[in-house]
Amino acid sequence: MTLRHIVSWKMSGADRAERDAQAADVIAALLPLRETVPSLRALSVHRNELFDGDNFDVTLIADFDDAEGLAAYASHPDHVEAGAVIKANASGRVATDFTL
């Protein structure tokens, strides 16, 4: 079984340039988790390219063996640190989890 975790965030910046900078900070905080969180099987993070202002700005796609792996990721100190960067830059969040 693979559990897929998808999260998208709206950045709080007033214009595209500010949201681009915020998105870059968020992506930079998340990508290293691939190397430090043992329960993480795959992780990609993407900046939205179309319909700026209407769509969410950043999307994370992460795979885990199961819900316990996702819980371990959520509480991992490096993820908590990345979460602080996200909270400092995001104005909205949406997520979904499902089994592949």
Side-chain angles (χ1 to χ4, degrees):
M1 169 176 100
T2 298
L3 179 68
R4 179 151 291 166
H5 175 65
I6 301 176
V7 184
S8 293
W9 297 275
K10 279 269 199 192
M11 298 294 100
S12 61
D15 58 33
R16 175 70 188 220
E18 188 175 356
R19 289 189 301 276
D20 280 345
Q22 291 173 317
D25 289 345
V26 166
I27 292 167
L30 290 168
L31 287 178
L33 300 179
R34 292 186 290 202
E35 306 302 323
T36 63
V37 179
S39 65
L40 191 53
R41 299 296 169 237
L43 178 137
S44 61
V45 188
H46 307 274
R47 174 67 169 107
N48 178 60
E49 297 175 12
L50 301 176
F51 309 110
D52 182 55
D54 291 328
N55 288 344
F56 278 65
D57 298 296
V58 177
T59 296
L60 170 141
I61 303 167
D63 291 342
F64 303 89
D65 290 338
D66 49 32
E68 290 78 19
L70 175 58
Y73 163 81
S75 64
H76 191 282
D78 293 344
H79 177 263
V80 172
E81 187 176 316
V85 173
I86 294 165
K87 287 179 184 175
N89 289 288
S91 63
R93 176 187 183 273
V94 62
T96 189
D97 302 292
F98 54 90
T99 303
L100 296 178

